[in-house]
Amino acid sequence: MLTIYNTLTRRKEEFHPLVEGHVGMYVCGPTVYGDAHLGHARPAVTFDILFRYLRHTGYKVRYVRNITDVGHLEHDADEGEDKIAKKARLEEVEPMEVAGYYANRFHEAMQKLGCLPPSIEPLASGHIIEQIRLVQEILDAGFAYESNGSVYFDVEKYNHSHHYGKLSGRNLEDVINASRHLDGVGEKRNQVDFALWKKAQPEHIMRWPSPWSDGFPGWHCECTAMGRKYLGQHFDIHGGGMDLIFPHHECEIAQAVASQGDEAVHYWMHNNMVTIGGQKMGKSLGNFITLNQFFSGEHPLLTSAYSPMTIRFFILQAHYRSTLDFSDDALAAAKKGLDRLFEALARLDNINVAPEASLTEEFANQLEAKCYAALDDDLSTPQVVSLLFEACHTISALADHKTTINQKGLERLRSVMHTFTFDLLGLQNEAASGNAEREQAYSGAVDMLLELRAKAKSAKDWITSDQIRDGLSALGFEVKDTKDGATWRLAK
């Protein structure tokens, strides 16, 4: 039985879906105004593992991951310039050009990391109507107020009848009391109130008509509105990075309760932060390394380029709820470990079997059971990696004829190693796929040369025809002329 750590209850809980056989999962995606970095990769990989495992164990999963392309302001959730609009202004392009460009870059990076695409990937800008409806429902329930064309959530009023802060474990009474001296300053009644709708200033590019003003939705609205649209008023899992617990996910809980009368999410899951030198890695701190910089090696903190699978393996070696501290040495060690795993998998294809062997399918069955138990224990990918490394020792002993295995045992071992390495951890053998791409390129080049040779022969240009044949032969290709044309193969 899968157990997951529920941030809301602060304990591991057995996972039971609200609808038998079906899972609704919502994960906060990126704000697309810059290239993805390691901090974006961690939640993507974490919830990709959960998505893979839930499907592997028989659930039909609807995985929704949003893209924020409007409403995320520069200074905080309510103040400053829209991050995408600011980028558009500086680059003298349309905001949707910025959003589209970086969304495509994000998708390319996720594909390289081996992350499966979500079932639905809604844009915040494509769901303005749903967000306006959400704001109106909160107003009708009495938990919001309009001020100069903007609408704010009344945290103090909500906190009288509900607990604002239950997800993050905060007691906001102290915060509210401390902010009373600001009452009447600005549009908000209270400093802790958050925007549901913002009236657009004349220079603001992205704006939509609403009952209150031409403006745009507050950042917190989009996930509540889109989660409800695609997963219903109650769904199983809501995930994201730990930095989203407060205020973003706290505000989501308040919005759901205020608009529909109860909470929407059954399990809240959060991955921990990526740090560098003990400090959170992120755009706002200016200490981040983009994924493309990892892939190219073009960053002062990197001694070499690191492949997407090395990055994925590096992430999987730490439990998703523990801090992942970046260093070049740690990445180099991850590369060695990944190479070792794939070397062992390759050696599985060159192991002799013995009828009377010391190892049988029971060895593989026990490995499989331990790996499933590790994933069932709150997705303990480090434990799975450790178990696979232990199996690598056994594979080396088999390949070096230090122990033996029977046919069924070898088949089961190969199946278990492939299932957990490729299907569930989502790793890919980049060297093998690179060889296949090179072979395809070689094949295309040889076919093109033979086509040119055929044309030369038709024109009775025997010199060119022989040069192409002899040149290919010198490179290791055997060319044979038949009545149907020329064939080729690599020389043995």
Side-chain angles (χ1 to χ4, degrees):
M1 172 61 71
L2 172 64
T3 63
I4 56 179
Y5 185 87
N6 190 345
T7 309
L8 186 63
T9 61
R10 294 169 182 76
R11 64 172 182 265
K12 288 184 185 178
E13 298 179 4
E14 288 188 355
F15 176 73
H16 297 285
L18 297 172
V19 178
E20 185 176 355
H22 294 256
V23 177
M25 181 170 77
Y26 191 102
V27 176
C28 288
T31 301
V32 283
Y33 68 100
D35 277 336
H37 54 75
L38 198 57
H40 292 121
R42 193 171 196 193
V45 171
T46 295
F47 292 100
D48 181 64
I49 296 295
L50 180 59
F51 184 35
R52 288 171 179 271
Y53 193 51
L54 288 170
R55 295 205 310 181
H56 179 78
T57 51
Y59 291 106
K60 184 176 181 180
V61 184
R62 177 174 287 178
Y63 172 17
V64 181
R65 183 181 67 202
N66 71 295
I67 286 184
T68 299
D69 60 351
V70 65
H72 199 169
L73 304 187
E74 185 182 5
H75 300 314
D76 59 35
D78 298 337
E79 301 298 332
E81 190 173 4
D82 185 289
K83 293 181 178 181
I84 292 172
K86 179 182 179 181
K87 189 84 169 180
R89 177 176 55 79
L90 293 174
E91 297 183 6
E92 299 182 339
V93 296
E94 286 292 324
M96 290 300 104
E97 286 185 77
V98 172
Y101 175 78
Y102 286 110
N104 289 336
R105 300 267 288 184
F106 174 77
H107 291 142
E108 290 170 5
M110 294 305 104
Q111 185 177 26
K112 289 177 181 178
L113 287 173
C115 294
L116 300 173
S119 313
I120 303 172
E121 193 169 49
L123 298 171
S125 64
H127 295 78
I128 302 299
I129 293 174
E130 290 82 357
Q131 294 177 75
I132 290 174
R133 185 181 301 122
L134 172 68
V135 175
Q136 188 62 61
E137 289 173 356
I138 297 173
L139 275 167
D140 293 343
F143 289 110
Y145 56 91
E146 183 181 352
S147 178
N148 298 326
S150 295
V151 180
Y152 293 94
F153 192 96
D154 193 332
V155 172
E156 185 171 16
K157 184 173 182 180
Y158 176 85
N159 201 57
H160 285 321
S161 53
H162 305 284
H163 179 194
Y164 182 81
K166 64 186 303 183
L167 184 64
S168 59
R170 300 180 185 221
N171 183 349
L172 288 197
E173 286 295 335
D174 296 336
V175 179
I176 292 172
N177 291 334
S179 66
R180 287 191 184 278
H181 68 280
L182 295 175
D183 285 356
V185 177
E187 296 181 339
K188 298 181 182 182
R189 294 177 184 172
N190 196 295
Q191 188 182 25
V192 296
D193 295 347
F194 58 89
L196 299 172
W197 185 264
K198 289 285 287 184
K199 179 181 179 180
Q201 298 303 311
E203 68 275 9
H204 199 93
I205 305 172
M206 292 184 284
R207 60 176 67 214
W208 291 264
S210 79
W212 317 287
S213 65
D214 279 3
F216 54 93
W219 172 43
H220 307 306
C221 286
E222 63 182 87
C223 293
T224 303
M226 293 190 293
R228 185 163 65 180
K229 178 179 176 68
Y230 295 109
L231 298 174
Q233 288 191 331
H234 305 96
F235 57 92
D236 299 293
I237 298 169
H238 195 323
M242 193 172 286
D243 57 331
L244 296 177
I245 293 176
F246 189 89
H248 187 50
H249 289 165
E250 200 75 76
C251 293
E252 283 195 56
I253 291 177
Q255 289 170 160
V257 173
S259 63
Q260 67 187 40
D262 59 2
E263 295 181 30
V265 180
H266 193 186
Y267 301 94
W268 287 90
M269 291 183 67
H270 296 89
N271 61 273
N272 212 323
M273 297 295 97
V274 177
T275 58
I276 177 168
Q279 188 179 37
K280 174 193 167 186
M281 180 183 289
K283 285 191 174 78
S284 60
L285 298 174
N287 64 350
F288 65 95
I289 304 175
T290 70
L291 292 176
N292 285 326
Q293 286 173 322
F294 279 111
F295 302 157
S296 67
E298 295 176 357
H299 193 278
L301 294 177
L302 301 174
T303 58
S304 66
Y306 292 100
S307 73
M309 284 301 108
T310 298
I311 302 299
R312 185 180 180 100
F313 191 63
F314 171 65
I315 292 171
L316 294 176
Q317 284 183 300
H319 191 273
Y320 78 90
R321 287 194 292 111
S322 65
T323 301
L324 179 65
D325 196 50
F326 157 80
S327 72
D328 188 74
D329 289 342
L331 280 177
K335 181 183 183 305
K336 289 181 180 178
L338 186 62
D339 290 344
R340 177 185 162 205
L341 177 59
F342 284 132
E343 285 169 8
L345 286 167
R347 298 188 84 180
L348 274 172
D349 295 327
N350 297 291
I351 289 175
N352 296 323
V353 297
E356 299 296 328
S358 57
L359 294 178
T360 66
E361 59 267 34
E362 183 58 27
F363 169 76
N365 291 340
Q366 290 178 3
L367 172 64
E368 180 184 59
K370 291 176 182 177
C371 287
Y372 277 130
L375 288 180
D376 281 338
D377 185 14
D378 196 27
L379 301 180
S380 184
T381 57
Q383 182 63 20
V384 175
V385 170
S386 177
L387 289 165
L388 294 178
F389 278 158
E390 289 179 17
C392 289
H393 285 295
T394 301
I395 293 169
S396 295
L398 289 167
D400 295 337
H401 309 292
K402 295 178 181 178
T403 188
T404 55
I405 192 169
N406 65 15
Q407 184 65 44
K408 287 186 178 179
L410 181 59
E411 291 172 359
R412 282 288 293 134
L413 179 58
R414 185 181 291 116
S415 174
V416 171
M417 292 293 291
H418 278 244
T419 294
F420 285 93
T421 301
F422 300 117
D423 298 341
L424 294 178
L425 295 187
L427 297 168
Q428 301 166 4
N429 193 337
E430 293 162 316
S433 61
N435 289 336
E437 291 171 359
R438 283 191 292 273
E439 288 174 10
Q440 185 177 9
Y442 293 152
S443 178
V446 173
D447 289 341
M448 182 179 67
L449 287 169
L450 290 180
E451 185 178 342
L452 292 174
R453 180 172 177 264
K455 290 179 179 179
K457 289 179 69 176
S458 296
K460 299 186 184 303
D461 183 358
W462 310 117
I463 294 176
T464 300
S465 172
D466 290 346
Q467 282 179 336
I468 293 174
R469 181 198 61 203
D470 295 343
L472 288 172
S473 177
L475 293 171
F477 296 95
E478 292 182 359
V479 177
K480 183 178 180 181
D481 291 311
T482 70
K483 63 179 182 179
D484 297 320
T487 62
W488 66 272
R489 65 171 184 165
L490 281 169
K492 292 184 180 180

